[in-house]
Amino acid sequence: MAPGGIFRFCLIVTILAQPAQSCFPRSIRSQVPVKIDPGYVITQVPLDHCGDVGLSLSSSDPHFTVNTDGTIVVAVVSMVTKIRSFQVWVKAGRGQPRRVDVQLIPDTEQLHQYTLHAQSAPWNQAHKRFKRRWSPLPFNIIENALPPFPKEVELIGSDSSVNYTVRYTIEGPGVTQPPMNVFSVVHETGMVIVHRAVDRELYPKLVFQARVTDKLTGKETDRPLDITVLVLDLNDNPPTFLGPLEFQVVEQSRPDTEVGVVTATDRDEAGTPHTQIKFSLLTENQLFNIHPQSGKITTKSGTLDREVQATIPVTVEIRDMNGAKSGLFNTAIATITLVDVNDNPPTFTETILKADVEEDKADLLVLRIPVEDRDEVNTQNWKAKFVITHGNENNDFRMDTDPTTNEGLLYVVKPLDYEKGRLVALIVSAQNEVPLVNSLTSWNTIPVELSVSDVDEGPEFSPLIKVIRVKENTPIGTILGSYMALDPETRSNTGIRYLKVSDPGSWLSVGEETGELKVTNLIDLESDLVTNAMYNITVNAVDPSSKSGMGMITLLIEDTNDNIPVPDDRVLVLCEEEGKRGSVTVMAHDPDLLPYSSPYDFQLSGESPKKWRLRDAQNISVVLEQAVDMPRGNYEVEMRIADLQDKGDVQVVNVKVCRCLGGQCVAATSSVGMGAWGTLALLLALAMLLLLCLLFVVVCNSRGEKMYIDDSSGGMLLHSNTEAPGEEVKSANLLMIPPVGGLDVIDQSAKETGLLDQNRNVSAGDMSGTTQQTMGQQQVYQSSRQDFMSNSVHHQNSFYTSGGQYRGRANYSDSLYQKQANHSLFNTWDTNKLYLDEVFLYLLCLSLTRNNHLHFLLKHSGHLAGTMLSTIYFISARMYSIQ
């Protein structure tokens, strides 16, 4: 080979071999603090120009470690008090390792402060020691370190080893506690040895205890010391995603609209490049962006269209080391769903629609109008709403929407007339339930042509309802006009006949051929057939082909003053009032309407002003009151009542002046004096009292004789040969007397003195005295409880016939003053009196036979007297009311 060729070959080889050496600098200088702790990043060997060839890096100084991205990190706490040098070896594939010289220069100011502090430190003063110290300071190991094991880590030592032969031991986490058997110590030298790798994510720091003892005596020569081993992080964990990667964004959103945030985490040590995550999108598109640090996804343009693509997948990458190529990474697919908006109006499938419809048809579906909408189905953006924008001024049509097919439904709601128009043109607009979001887009419309077909129709009245004003009482035979119908095809009334369908009062006649309207009966506004002054007549028109049409005549009746006001009631009741003259309200009515009715004018006439006067006249009423004192009785009052037009006449009102109870006149009146009947009642009561006293004396002398009360005896006392009260006296039903008046007092007193024993039965002797018969409950005192309760408790609500028979309940105000009740009063009282006399006599005699004469009379004299006085008052009051 020529010398020139050899030279060129060597030059090429040199150039080709150069990249592995020249892709990084030969030396690096970095200024660092005097004391640098583990994890401190010194600098980074730039490897960006070394290509994708796999590189391995290592440090010549174990106090420093080099990551795969070229970052130089402090592994063991170190002091830099002067320029400190070490080498980083870089090896590309199987090539020769290349050296990078690293020089650490201490910070000048910190070095000065450190020197001053060291000179004044106590341990630099001769012969002074304040406490024993161990060495070294906390040291580090690298997580997941590669074999071979075991490896020497650090030498620990106690200054007691100067005076003793010592032995070192360690215990605690990493030794005797989990993780077990990671560290051991050389007993003689204190060298700590690591036996296996440790995962920092599980054990970021291990603290175990070191002890030093005299090898001969076994005694501790120094205090125990806690040794802290920091596990330095390696970038051995890729970042991972957190949460679901599903997002939503509204279509047509503006650029930079937030879609969502991707979150991620990294198990490596926080605050280091190992956990600095960078986010990026691997999908090539022009739709979305992602922030590299926060992970927030935003829209890139405003062209997102759900109708083009409803769901968009994007690939997201998360890479640590702040996105460096040497960083660990993960990828995942994020799904972005576009939310629909109403950006597409409904569109018609045809350009024009046509249909046929018969005249005279109503509520008929004429046409179905199909539309298409690209928006999401069954949403408000998709559901169509149809509007007739032209041709429906008379509201003859209606548009609905089929909820299933979204079609428009065109209905005829009013009958169409062929004679008025054979073709109907409509414009229909298809809209949505919500407005369009794009202001540049408008709703679509379509023309609709409806052809009306002819149908032979019946006659038609014009107008359909004919209103005729007429005064009431219009003379019979008056012609009010005519009501005629026309054939809609010929517009002629030839051959049409007219028939009345409805005329409740037969007020009009309709000419069969002419439709002439004539009054045939009295037209009365006040008739029950009139409503709101209107009376309706229905007429039917029939053509020669028997087709018919209906019409209506409404008579609007005008009022005339054909009625006068009259009183509502011809008979009025005027109730007497204590200390003043009574009054009553007279009310009138007039069926006429204004101005022929109220307010009314009331005037007394004839002889009425001498006894009566009017006051407080109102619209339809006036108060009639007594002008002088008048006895009770019936009076006729003459009064002229006139309407607003002074049309009226004299009316006679019957006024009944009486004593009232409950707003009604009583049946009879009472005099002021007591009268003969009242005096007679008092005399009778006194006579009865004397007779009762005599009976007490006579009966009580027969103390050995028994008595009983029997219905069949008519209230008489029957004698018995029994000497003393027998078993019949023990009947519990003998004296079931209701607590009326003073009877309850007597009954109670008798019980207290032992006169009554309700556990005994009463037996009565035979009327001839030869036989005895045991009396039951009904024999001893049959019906005494029912009759006595009826007479004493309900005497005010019941009445009896002259024979004393009960006839049922009657109103209190009526029965109190009825003459029939007055005539039956004495019979009723006689019946009650018999029961009272029998009870009193029996009780009194029974008491006296028991040797309690004086005790009974003294104890019950007040009750007896009260009872008698009550009896006298009752009879007197009844006689007084009768009179």
Side-chain angles (χ1 to χ4, degrees):
M1 182 179 294
I6 296 174
F7 176 78
R8 284 191 297 270
F9 176 76
C10 294
L11 181 61
I12 292 173
V13 172
T14 304
I15 294 174
L16 292 176
Q18 189 67 24
Q21 183 175 358
S22 62
C23 66
F24 50 84
R26 294 294 301 274
S27 63
I28 298 175
R29 295 170 62 89
S30 177
Q31 188 176 34
V32 297
V34 174
K35 180 181 179 183
I36 47 179
D37 296 320
Y40 180 82
V41 178
I42 296 175
T43 185
Q44 183 176 16
V45 179
L47 303 174
D48 296 340
H49 301 289
C50 295
D52 296 332
V53 182
L55 301 176
S56 61
L57 297 93
S58 60
S59 172
S60 62
D61 191 336
H63 290 80
F64 306 97
T65 183
V66 184
N67 295 327
T68 56
D69 61 345
T71 304
I72 302 174
V73 183
V74 177
V76 180
V77 62
S78 303
M79 302 297 296
V80 182
T81 57
K82 58 182 180 179
I83 296 176
R84 183 171 179 176
S85 301
F86 63 93
Q87 292 78 37
V88 172
W89 294 93
V90 181
K91 183 179 180 182
R94 297 183 179 181
Q96 294 295 324
R98 302 295 179 178
R99 187 181 70 181
V100 178
D101 294 327
V102 180
Q103 289 186 343
L104 304 181
I105 302 174
D107 183 86
T108 307
E109 184 175 353
Q110 290 188 9
L111 181 61
H112 179 68
Q113 295 294 334
Y114 174 79
T115 303
L116 293 176
H117 181 70
Q119 292 176 355
S120 60
W123 55 80
N124 288 332
Q125 299 179 11
H127 308 293
K128 288 186 179 180
R129 176 171 298 192
F130 294 96
K131 62 180 179 178
R132 298 177 181 270
R133 293 186 55 83
W134 284 74
S135 63
L137 295 173
F139 57 89
N140 305 323
I141 62 172
I142 299 175
E143 71 165 331
N144 296 325
L146 298 175
F149 291 103
K151 295 181 180 180
E152 293 182 353
V153 179
E154 188 62 70
L155 184 66
I156 60 175
S158 172
D159 51 6
S160 64
S161 60
V162 177
N163 301 320
Y164 299 96
T165 302
V166 296
R167 184 175 185 271
Y168 296 95
T169 58
I170 57 176
E171 62 183 5
V175 184
T176 59
Q177 298 176 14
M180 304 284 290
N181 303 322
V182 176
F183 300 103
S184 66
V185 65
V186 178
H187 299 301
E188 291 76 12
T189 63
M191 175 61 71
V192 177
I193 299 174
V194 60
H195 295 272
R196 60 187 180 88
V198 179
D199 189 354
R200 189 206 66 86
E201 282 68 46
L202 298 177
Y203 304 101
K205 180 173 68 173
L206 296 172
V207 180
F208 55 86
Q209 194 174 63
R211 296 178 179 274
V212 58
T213 57
D214 186 352
K215 198 171 185 179
L216 298 177
T217 63
K219 293 183 178 181
E220 289 188 325
T221 59
D222 208 336
R223 290 175 299 175
L225 178 67
D226 289 336
I227 305 298
T228 301
V229 179
L230 299 177
V231 181
L232 299 181
D233 184 44
L234 285 179
N235 191 19
D236 56 346
N237 292 283
T240 57
F241 290 94
L242 294 178
L245 296 178
E246 295 181 356
F247 308 101
Q248 288 185 344
V249 65
V250 177
E251 65 170 332
Q252 307 295 343
S253 294
R254 295 181 178 180
D256 297 328
T257 300
E258 181 175 344
V259 177
V261 178
V262 179
T263 57
T265 185
D266 197 313
R267 296 182 62 201
D268 291 323
E269 186 174 1
T272 66
H274 302 162
T275 57
Q276 292 180 0
I277 302 173
K278 181 179 180 180
F279 299 86
S280 61
L281 296 180
L282 301 183
T283 304
E284 294 294 335
N285 62 73
Q286 302 296 322
L287 301 178
F288 303 102
N289 286 325
I290 188 168
H291 193 274
Q293 278 73 43
S294 66
K296 182 172 71 174
I297 300 177
T298 57
T299 58
K300 196 171 184 179
S301 67
T303 60
L304 296 175
D305 191 350
R306 190 202 68 86
E307 287 70 43
V308 175
Q309 186 176 2
T311 302
I312 303 175
V314 293
T315 303
V316 182
E317 180 190 82
I318 48 176
R319 186 182 291 265
D320 59 15
M321 301 300 295
N322 201 20
K325 292 183 179 180
S326 58
L328 302 179
F329 64 92
N330 255 322
T331 60
I333 296 177
T335 302
I336 301 174
T337 302
L338 301 185
V339 179
D340 184 43
V341 296
N342 193 19
D343 56 344
N344 294 281
T347 58
F348 295 100
T349 58
E350 299 182 24
T351 57
I352 187 171
L353 297 172
K354 296 182 180 181
D356 296 329
V357 58
E358 292 184 358
E359 65 173 340
D360 298 332
K361 294 294 181 68
D363 294 325
L364 178 68
L365 177 61
V366 177
L367 190 63
R368 300 181 74 94
I369 305 175
V371 292
E372 294 179 351
D373 197 315
R374 299 178 61 201
D375 291 320
E376 188 173 356
V377 177
N378 293 327
T379 64
Q380 290 183 319
N381 304 330
W382 176 82
K383 293 179 180 179
K385 180 178 67 174
F386 296 87
V387 179
I388 302 175
T389 61
H390 177 75
N392 194 30
E393 288 74 15
N394 296 327
N395 296 320
D396 296 330
F397 304 94
R398 182 185 82 244
M399 288 294 305
D400 292 340
T401 303
D402 189 322
T404 303
T405 63
N406 211 30
E407 292 177 311
L409 307 177
L410 177 62
Y411 287 89
V412 175
V413 294
K414 295 181 181 179
L416 301 179
D417 192 349
Y418 172 82
E419 287 70 31
K420 293 182 180 179
R422 302 181 181 183
L423 184 65
V424 178
L426 303 177
I427 301 296
V428 177
S429 172
Q431 305 176 9
N432 290 125
E433 294 182 357
V434 293
L436 291 170
V437 297
N438 190 348
S439 59
L440 300 178
T441 307
S442 60
W443 303 117
N444 295 315
T445 60
I446 188 172
V448 178
E449 294 182 358
L450 299 178
S451 298
V452 182
S453 58
D454 187 22
V455 176
D456 187 14
E457 302 168 292
E460 294 180 353
F461 284 96
S462 180
L464 189 61
I465 300 176
K466 184 179 182 66
V467 179
I468 301 176
R469 289 184 174 271
V470 60
K471 288 183 176 294
E472 65 173 337
N473 302 321
T474 298
I476 296 175
T478 302
I479 298 175
L480 302 181
S482 62
Y483 189 37
M484 303 180 67
L486 299 176
D487 188 302
E489 280 78 21
T490 64
R491 309 308 296 175
S492 172
N493 57 7
T494 304
I496 296 178
R497 294 179 298 108
Y498 303 95
L499 302 173
K500 279 198 308 180
V501 177
S502 173
D503 183 7
S506 298
W507 287 359
L508 295 183
S509 65
V510 181
E512 183 177 357
E513 296 180 356
T514 63
E516 183 181 65
L517 306 177
K518 184 185 297 184
V519 178
T520 58
N521 210 336
L522 181 65
I523 298 176
D524 186 7
L525 175 63
E526 290 75 38
S527 172
D528 294 336
L529 303 175
V530 177
T531 303
N532 296 328
M534 291 185 296
Y535 177 81
N536 295 326
I537 301 171
T538 306
V539 180
N540 196 16
V542 182
D543 63 10
S545 63
S546 298
K547 292 187 178 295
S548 62
M550 195 77 69
M552 181 178 289
I553 302 169
T554 297
L555 297 183
L556 191 58
I557 304 173
E558 299 178 358
D559 191 23
T560 60
N561 198 4
D562 57 343
N563 295 281
I564 61 173
V566 295
D568 289 351
D569 296 315
R570 294 283 182 176
V571 179
L572 300 175
V573 175
L574 191 150
C575 296
E576 291 182 334
E577 300 183 28
E578 292 291 337
K580 62 178 181 179
R581 294 167 183 158
S583 62
V584 65
T585 300
V586 180
M587 302 191 70
H589 70 278
D590 188 335
D592 290 330
L593 303 177
L594 286 175
Y596 307 122
S597 59
S598 60
Y600 304 138
D601 179 53
F602 298 89
Q603 298 292 335
L604 294 174
S605 62
E607 297 295 326
S608 297
K610 296 179 180 180
K611 296 181 179 181
W612 306 89
R613 59 169 170 250
L614 301 176
R615 63 176 174 87
D616 298 337
Q618 301 295 327
N619 193 30
I620 60 172
S621 66
V622 69
V623 176
L624 175 66
E625 66 178 2
Q626 295 171 322
V628 296
D629 294 330
M630 291 180 291
R632 302 170 187 167
N634 295 325
Y635 299 90
E636 290 185 352
V637 181
E638 294 183 0
M639 182 184 304
R640 184 180 186 274
I641 308 175
D643 60 19
L644 191 59
Q645 306 299 326
D646 198 31
K647 183 177 180 179
D649 200 355
V650 175
Q651 309 289 335
V652 177
V653 179
N654 293 318
V655 180
K656 187 176 184 180
V657 180
C658 62
R659 178 185 176 188
C660 295
L661 184 64
Q664 297 180 356
C665 282
V666 297
T669 59
S670 60
S671 62
V672 178
M674 188 173 184
W677 285 104
T679 305
L680 181 59
L682 290 176
L683 293 176
L684 288 175
L686 292 175
M688 290 175 60
L689 180 60
L690 292 175
L691 180 61
L692 187 60
C693 294
L694 291 175
L695 287 174
F696 284 165
V697 175
V698 173
V699 175
C700 292
N701 287 333
S702 303
R703 57 183 296 181
E705 298 178 359
K706 296 179 61 178
M707 65 184 76
Y708 74 95
I709 300 174
D710 185 39
D711 251 1
S712 63
S713 64
M716 300 297 292
L717 295 175
L718 302 180
H719 294 279
S720 172
N721 292 327
T722 306
E723 290 294 329
E727 293 298 319
E728 67 274 14
V729 184
K730 301 178 183 180
S731 174
N733 298 309
L734 178 61
L735 293 174
M736 296 181 63
I737 303 173
V740 180
L743 295 181
D744 57 335
V745 181
I746 296 174
D747 184 39
Q748 183 63 27
S749 300
K751 290 180 181 179
E752 292 177 359
T753 56
L755 298 180
L756 299 179
D757 187 358
Q758 297 184 4
N759 295 325
R760 299 180 181 180
N761 297 325
V762 177
S763 64
D766 188 83
M767 295 295 294
S768 62
T770 59
T771 61
Q772 289 187 348
Q773 181 181 358
T774 301
M775 306 293 292
Q777 295 181 0
Q778 296 180 354
Q779 292 174 324
V780 176
Y781 207 80
Q782 184 180 11
S783 74
S784 63
R785 178 178 180 86
Q786 298 175 354
D787 292 340
F788 200 91
M789 290 293 289
S790 302
N791 293 325
S792 58
V793 178
H794 303 290
H795 70 277
Q796 293 180 348
N797 295 330
S798 307
F799 66 91
Y800 294 80
T801 64
S802 60
Q805 297 300 319
Y806 183 76
R807 295 295 300 273
R809 299 178 60 88
N811 186 273
Y812 174 76
S813 61
D814 296 334
S815 66
L816 187 60
Y817 298 100
Q818 288 179 348
K819 291 183 179 181
Q820 292 83 348
N822 295 334
H823 288 304
S824 64
L825 168 66
F826 292 106
N827 293 327
T828 304
W829 170 247
D830 287 341
T831 303
N832 294 336
K833 174 177 172 298
L834 290 175
Y835 292 138
L836 290 172
D837 290 345
E838 291 171 358
V839 174
F840 289 153
L841 287 173
Y842 182 81
L843 289 175
L844 183 59
C845 293
L846 185 63
S847 176
L848 293 177
T849 57
R850 297 276 177 104
N851 297 322
N852 290 319
H853 310 74
L854 182 60
H855 173 75
F856 182 86
L857 292 176
L858 292 177
K859 185 171 184 180
H860 302 293
S861 60
H863 299 309
L864 292 174
T867 305
M868 297 308 299
L869 289 176
S870 299
T871 305
I872 295 170
Y873 174 79
F874 176 76
I875 297 175
S876 301
R878 298 295 289 178
M879 298 303 297
Y880 173 82
S881 63
I882 293 171
Q883 195 175 21

